Amino acid sequence: MPIEGAIKELGVFELLQLLSFTQKSGKLKIMSPFGKVIKIFYFKNGSLSYVDLKETILDNLERSGKITKEDRDEFDGDNFPENIINKGILSREDFINMVRKYSEDAVYSIFKIKDGTFIFEECTVNTPFDIDLGYKIENLIMEGARRIDEMVKISSMIPSYNIVLEISSEIEEKKYVHLTPKEWMLLSHINGEYSIEDIIKISGDEFDTVKTLYGMMMAGLVKKKAVKNTKEKVEEHKWENVIDDFYEKGNYKEGIDYLIELGKKEPENPAIPYQLGFFYLKMGKFKMAISQWSEFLTRSPTGNKAKYVSELVEALRKVEKLIIRRDEVKNG
């Protein structure tokens, strides 16, 4: 019998502890509030054995120029590992190394998820090329908790991954700068155009990248790019001005339609579900507002906006419970 439920009722930490304690073997799916599969994990006797990293690996191969965006369609299906190797794009050893490199980060990324659903199915686990990571859940949880604590500190300076960085004038004036290989690599991508999110995608490593950038900002080597002049800013955020106009005039239905269409063009933009939540709230559609804000938190889990939205979601859920109590009192 599958184990399934809502993450807000049984958090990811508690879920993994349960699988470890009961020494379960099987497949765990983590899904967004909309039912989109975020990650799939495989367990053997309570230890993490394998992580489905198809999208992560394809992103890496596309960035490195080994495949094109159009090539990705060729790798649909469960036989992705064999296909990528049979086509000569990766060797078997390269594939295994990539799985080991990105698996832990995949686990740590789901610790930030506060809403969504999960389903665990007990089954015999057969992994590609008999890969068995053998990661102990207790160790992953301890490291995950440490990373979350560090990200809280880092979010004071990096509240959003949309921030664009530039090299400070101080480093340009120095004749010699001592940097680690990681810092030199990241510095090469700080051009006043790439956002932190862009740099993370290039490096393929979220936590270490953000942590290193935070250190470079603290040291004064890089800084947030100055705000563009008013004309450029208005042009760049033109759609937000349109949304503000809908909102102020009470044209909530039109605003929702506009944002939904915009979401088709920018499916990963966290600002869209953020704005949609307020429009649905104004129309009294609490569940839709909660759903949109939960999606926003999945895409942008840190910073002042995330904290504010979490408070809004919690408040709306309390209101929903009070409304249910009203119906119970009426019928009692």
Side-chain angles (χ1 to χ4, degrees):
M1 180 177 177
I3 303 172
E4 54 186 308
I7 291 174
K8 64 186 177 185
E9 295 174 1
L10 180 64
V12 174
F13 280 98
E14 292 79 9
L15 173 60
L16 294 183
Q17 284 177 325
L18 175 64
L19 298 179
S20 174
F21 180 75
T22 55
Q23 296 190 321
K24 295 287 188 182
S25 295
K27 177 170 67 175
L28 172 65
K29 288 184 181 180
I30 303 291
M31 292 164 284
S32 74
F34 302 103
K36 177 183 177 181
V37 175
I38 299 173
K39 281 289 183 297
I40 302 177
F41 303 91
Y42 296 83
F43 294 82
K44 284 185 180 179
N45 301 319
S47 295
L48 180 64
S49 177
Y50 180 72
V51 184
D52 185 341
L53 294 168
K54 175 183 173 182
E55 294 305 317
T56 301
I57 291 174
L58 288 176
D59 287 343
N60 184 281
L61 293 174
E62 188 177 335
R63 283 195 302 270
S64 62
K66 293 184 177 180
I67 64 171
T68 65
K69 189 173 183 178
E70 292 71 27
D71 292 335
R72 296 176 73 114
D73 294 337
E74 298 180 22
F75 301 108
D76 285 336
D78 296 332
N79 58 344
F80 160 70
E82 290 78 10
N83 279 348
I84 205 80
I85 289 168
N86 290 339
K87 290 181 180 294
I89 297 171
L90 284 177
S91 68
R92 175 172 169 170
E93 183 179 353
D94 288 338
F95 179 84
I96 293 174
N97 287 338
M98 290 186 80
V99 170
R100 292 192 176 278
K101 179 179 179 180
Y102 296 116
S103 289
E104 288 189 38
D105 280 340
V107 177
Y108 302 138
S109 70
I110 67 168
F111 286 153
K112 298 180 292 186
I113 298 174
K114 303 300 181 185
D115 206 354
T117 58
F118 67 85
I119 179 168
F120 178 81
E121 302 173 10
E122 288 195 68
C123 61
T124 301
V125 176
N126 296 310
T127 61
F129 317 121
D130 296 321
I131 296 173
D132 187 0
L133 298 171
Y135 291 151
K136 298 296 182 184
I137 298 303
E138 295 79 5
N139 296 337
L140 293 173
I141 288 176
M142 288 176 63
E143 174 63 15
R146 184 189 68 81
R147 290 192 177 202
I148 288 174
D149 287 342
E150 286 205 44
M151 287 304 295
V152 170
K153 178 182 68 175
I154 290 171
S155 66
S156 63
M157 183 167 283
I158 304 179
S160 168
Y161 289 170
N162 292 326
I163 291 171
V164 174
L165 299 177
E166 61 183 0
I167 298 173
S168 69
S169 57
E170 294 178 21
I171 191 173
E172 292 177 339
E173 294 171 358
K174 293 181 179 179
K175 293 182 179 180
Y176 176 78
V177 179
H178 178 70
L179 298 176
T180 66
K182 177 79 172 184
E183 289 169 335
W184 277 119
M185 186 275 288
L186 294 180
L187 195 66
S188 69
H189 298 299
I190 296 174
N191 56 9
E193 297 295 333
Y194 286 160
S195 67
I196 291 177
E197 183 175 7
D198 294 329
I199 296 172
I200 290 171
K201 288 180 179 178
I202 293 170
S203 68
D205 184 338
E206 178 184 351
F207 179 73
D208 280 345
T209 296
V210 175
K211 183 179 178 181
T212 303
L213 290 174
Y214 171 76
M216 294 169 73
M217 292 172 75
M218 290 292 288
L221 301 177
V222 299
K223 62 181 181 178
K224 297 177 185 178
K225 187 176 181 180
V227 178
K228 296 179 180 180
N229 64 49
T230 304
K231 182 178 179 181
E232 290 175 319
K233 189 174 180 181
V234 168
E235 183 65 27
E236 183 177 345
H237 300 289
K238 186 176 179 181
W239 72 265
E240 292 183 351
N241 296 333
V242 173
I243 285 302
D244 287 343
D245 189 57
F246 280 134
Y247 194 84
E248 291 169 5
K249 292 179 179 178
N251 298 326
Y252 306 126
K253 178 64 170 62
E254 291 86 345
I256 289 171
D257 292 341
Y258 182 92
L259 284 165
I260 289 174
E261 286 302 311
L262 184 65
K264 295 176 183 177
K265 299 176 183 177
E266 303 179 30
E268 301 301 323
N269 188 341
I272 294 172
Y274 175 80
Q275 296 283 5
L276 272 169
F278 289 103
F279 278 83
Y280 281 122
L281 179 63
K282 282 290 187 178
M283 295 186 71
K285 297 183 177 182
F286 290 1
K287 288 185 177 179
M288 291 299 293
I290 291 172
S291 177
Q292 289 298 324
W293 281 332
S294 297
E295 179 65 17
F296 165 76
L297 291 171
T298 299
R299 300 179 191 178
S300 184
T302 61
N304 293 332
K305 275 190 178 180
K307 182 179 178 182
Y308 173 49
V309 167
S310 296
E311 292 171 355
L312 285 170
V313 170
E314 186 64 27
L316 276 185
R317 284 179 175 146
K318 289 179 180 178
V319 171
E320 281 192 311
K321 289 179 181 178
L322 289 172
I323 292 173
I324 293 172
R325 281 184 60 190
R326 181 261 185 193
D327 294 336
E328 291 173 349
V329 171
K330 179 181 177 181
N331 297 326

